[in-house]
Amino acid sequence: AQSVTQLDSQVPVFEEAPVELRCNYSSSVSVYLFWYVQYPNQGLQLLLKYLSGSTLVKGINGFEAEFNKSQTSFHLRKPSVHISDTAEYFCAVSETTSGTYKYIFGTGTRLKVLA
Amino acid sequence: NAGVTQTPKFQVLKTGQSMTLQCAQDMNHNSMYWYRQDPGMGLRLIYYSASEGTTDKGEVPNGYNVSRLNKREFSLRLESAAPSQTSVYFCASTSLGDRRPQHFGDGTRLSIL
């Protein structure tokens, strides 16, 4: 079964600084990867997804992520963060078992943008 | 566009009480999921329904039951609530295919006293 590791539980960063949120997954023949964002008291919203093709994926709100098959990583980056980016970020991978689709989530990284 | 709607948004129960969490989606999605979110543990799958008429256990099914009432609705029932079930519960849906991202409701915040 797949597993997803987000090593950083909290990441503080100053406004307008760059940020990288790390995500590693267990290897698989084929893998589909997602990053979600959760603002306080809300559900999860899709930031971006990797299905196939270019390893650099661009998402909403200026975020991007790079799929690295050899390192089994899918790190999320933003060159310049805003206060409004303060939220919790989840990496997820989908897997297929007997024709049923399930999603495995990491434990989340809380991004705190400081003024 | 409503997307995924969960009711209620907040609930406080006493130990041993029962309740049903409701979830409805208006996107004609085949698959629906129930997760619980606890601090430091991410989202853990309780039950899922790959399609109308089918349900399966996820990672943490004990103490819960589900019903896929029709294609739109997927409910989660706590028969005898326990303090360990205090959590935020999220419903999600997706169309068929593991390349599809999930759509989430805003959650139900449940406290068991």
Side-chain angles (χ1 to χ4, degrees):
Chain A
Q2 284 280 0
S3 64
V4 176
T5 302
Q6 291 182 248
L7 288 171
D8 305 306
S9 59
Q10 295 188 65
V11 173
V13 63
F14 285 104
E15 193 174 19
E16 298 184 7
V19 70
E20 178 179 85
L21 306 183
R22 297 181 292 168
C23 173
N24 288 88
Y25 62 94
S26 55
S27 63
S28 178
V29 175
S30 62
V31 61
Y32 307 119
L33 295 154
F34 308 88
W35 273 101
Y36 289 87
V37 59
Q38 183 183 32
Y39 299 105
N41 299 315
Q42 294 186 24
L44 280 69
Q45 303 172 30
L46 182 69
L47 267 182
L48 49 80
K49 60 184 183 286
Y50 172 78
L51 304 179
S52 64
S54 173
T55 57
L56 185 62
V57 180
K58 294 190 182 298
I60 62 172
N61 301 341
F63 284 92
E64 62 183 32
E66 184 156 19
F67 172 64
N68 188 319
K69 189 174 182 178
S70 63
Q71 297 187 4
T72 61
S73 67
F74 190 54
H75 300 332
L76 182 70
R77 301 186 183 101
K78 187 169 183 178
S80 175
V81 295
H82 302 131
I83 295 288
S84 59
D85 292 323
T86 294
E88 190 155 21
Y89 293 79
F90 291 92
C91 182
V93 60
S94 70
E95 66 172 6
T96 304
T97 305
S98 302
T100 301
Y101 311 108
K102 291 194 286 186
Y103 300 79
I104 312 302
F105 288 83
T107 52
T109 297
R110 206 171 281 277
L111 176 64
K112 174 74 172 175
V113 180
L114 308 168
Chain B
N1 293 332
V4 179
T5 303
Q6 291 184 237
T7 55
K9 294 189 184 304
F10 303 94
Q11 185 70 47
V12 178
L13 293 177
K14 294 181 179 178
T15 297
Q17 286 186 315
S18 62
M19 97 162 278
T20 300
L21 280 60
Q22 307 286 353
C23 175
Q25 52 89 11
D26 61 2
M27 296 171 284
N28 201 36
H29 284 168
N30 300 97
S31 302
M32 298 184 73
Y33 306 77
W34 276 106
Y35 295 92
R36 60 178 290 173
Q37 183 179 28
D38 301 292
M41 303 189 76
L43 274 75
R44 293 183 292 169
L45 182 64
I46 305 172
Y47 270 93
Y48 63 99
S49 171
S51 60
E52 187 178 356
T54 68
T55 61
D56 284 288
K57 295 178 180 179
E59 181 185 356
V60 289
N62 291 344
Y64 305 95
N65 285 300
V66 291
S67 295
R68 182 76 183 265
L69 304 170
N70 47 55
K71 192 171 185 179
R72 289 187 65 248
E73 299 172 286
F74 188 39
S75 63
L76 178 72
R77 182 161 179 84
L78 286 69
E79 291 291 352
S80 178
S84 60
Q85 295 177 303
T86 293
S87 188
V88 182
Y89 291 85
F90 286 99
C91 177
S93 70
T94 185
S95 52
L96 201 62
D98 59 0
R99 292 169 174 246
R100 308 283 185 171
Q102 293 182 304
H103 296 253
F104 285 83
D106 284 340
T108 294
R109 283 148 188 83
L110 184 61
S111 292
I112 317 294
L113 304 178

